[in-house]
Amino acid sequence: MTDATRLDGRVAVVTGGAGGIGRAVATLLCARGARVVLTDRDPARDAVAAALGPAAEALEHDVTDPEAAERVAAAVLERHGRMDVWVNGAGWDRPGLFADTDPARWAEIIAVNYTGVLAGCRAALPGLRAAPDGGSIVSISSDTARVGGWGEAVYAGAKAAVVAFSKSLAREVARDGIRVNCVSPSVTRTPFEERLREDPVGARIVEGAVRATPMRRMGLPEEVAEAVAFLAAPSAAFITGQVLSVNGGVAM
């Protein structure tokens, strides 16, 4: 019997691949048999890809630049002749009470967390339409999109936009054989979470999230990656327009 969790022969792009969740996703997709192109504006992407071995490679990619997404998609198709999976894994926030923020910060948060998803999806669609077994887009949202987040109003709004956009896009491209889904983590143990703790507002966000979680701990990047890999694989062939929470029960 064929293992429907395998991704043998498929080519996957993972944006934000140098980050905690992106790295875990790239690692697991490689382990499941995919050829992974991980992208990031952080030069650490090259070391991450090298550590994963010959099944991985890295490309420079600033997700806030729509033309950069087009270049990534073109490079993947030129090198590999196909694209099967696109994971929008890049994300960023700088917490603060909304009254203390300014339009420049709003624009930066929205550019990374929402506009980057729009640009990535548009760039990926032509290649995914041609995927031999159908294409899959998986975007990392956040449980703040459902329940809000103290000190994260703009971030939560951007992540909610990702969910609404993904559901809408799923309706548009289902007949093209493309599935579009989201994975929605709560606070996850990553380098970003560690940096968040250095800020008083960020520390309060993390501590409050853990207290509110019935399982009384943060998630792990590997747990988020399992959800992404499931949605990317043939095992989820009849799943589209959905949001899979990885949150320890903080929102049910």
Side-chain angles (χ1 to χ4, degrees):
M1 179 180 292
T2 302
D3 184 349
T5 68
R6 296 290 301 175
L7 291 162
D8 299 290
R10 289 171 168 81
V11 176
V13 176
V14 180
T15 76
I21 290 176
R23 181 181 307 197
V25 169
T27 300
L28 184 56
L29 296 186
C30 281
R32 297 277 168 89
R35 174 78 190 185
V36 175
V37 180
L38 60 92
T39 80
D40 210 297
R41 63 184 177 186
D42 184 345
R45 65 185 176 266
D46 298 322
V48 173
L52 291 177
E57 62 190 274
L59 289 175
E60 182 178 2
H61 179 199
D62 180 350
V63 297
T64 67
D65 177 5
E67 292 183 358
E70 298 287 347
R71 290 193 295 270
V72 166
V76 171
L77 292 173
E78 181 180 355
R79 294 180 188 184
H80 303 289
R82 64 187 289 172
M83 181 192 302
D84 304 89
V85 178
W86 185 284
V87 179
N88 289 302
W92 178 83
D93 189 22
R94 193 169 74 194
L97 297 182
F98 181 69
D100 298 329
T101 63
D102 57 47
R105 187 187 298 190
W106 308 343
E108 192 170 9
I109 293 171
I110 291 168
V112 174
N113 295 290
Y114 183 41
T115 306
V117 172
L118 300 180
C121 288
R122 188 181 67 175
L125 286 178
L128 295 176
R129 284 193 178 101
D133 301 304
S136 175
I137 296 171
V138 185
S139 296
I140 304 297
S141 180
S142 166
D143 258 21
T144 60
R146 287 200 295 163
V147 301
W150 183 90
E152 297 181 289
V154 180
Y155 175 81
K159 291 298 190 180
V162 169
V163 171
F165 165 73
S166 297
K167 288 178 176 289
S168 301
L169 183 62
R171 292 183 181 276
E172 292 184 11
V173 300
R175 292 186 180 181
D176 296 327
I178 302 172
R179 299 180 297 105
V180 186
N181 294 287
C182 294
V183 170
S184 181
S186 60
V187 64
T188 305
R189 189 178 298 281
T190 63
F192 172 75
E193 172 267 327
E194 293 173 2
R195 292 192 298 272
L196 202 62
R197 285 180 179 272
E198 296 172 359
D199 178 89
V201 174
R204 181 172 171 182
I205 289 169
V206 173
E207 292 161 6
V210 173
R211 284 196 304 270
T213 302
M215 296 184 75
R216 285 294 189 270
R217 67 172 177 86
M218 285 184 281
L220 301 176
E222 294 77 14
E223 293 167 327
V224 180
E226 287 285 354
V228 174
F230 164 67
L231 290 171
S235 51
F238 200 53
I239 299 175
T240 195
Q242 303 304 308
V243 181
L244 178 54
S245 289
V246 183
N247 65 9
V250 70
M252 300 185 187

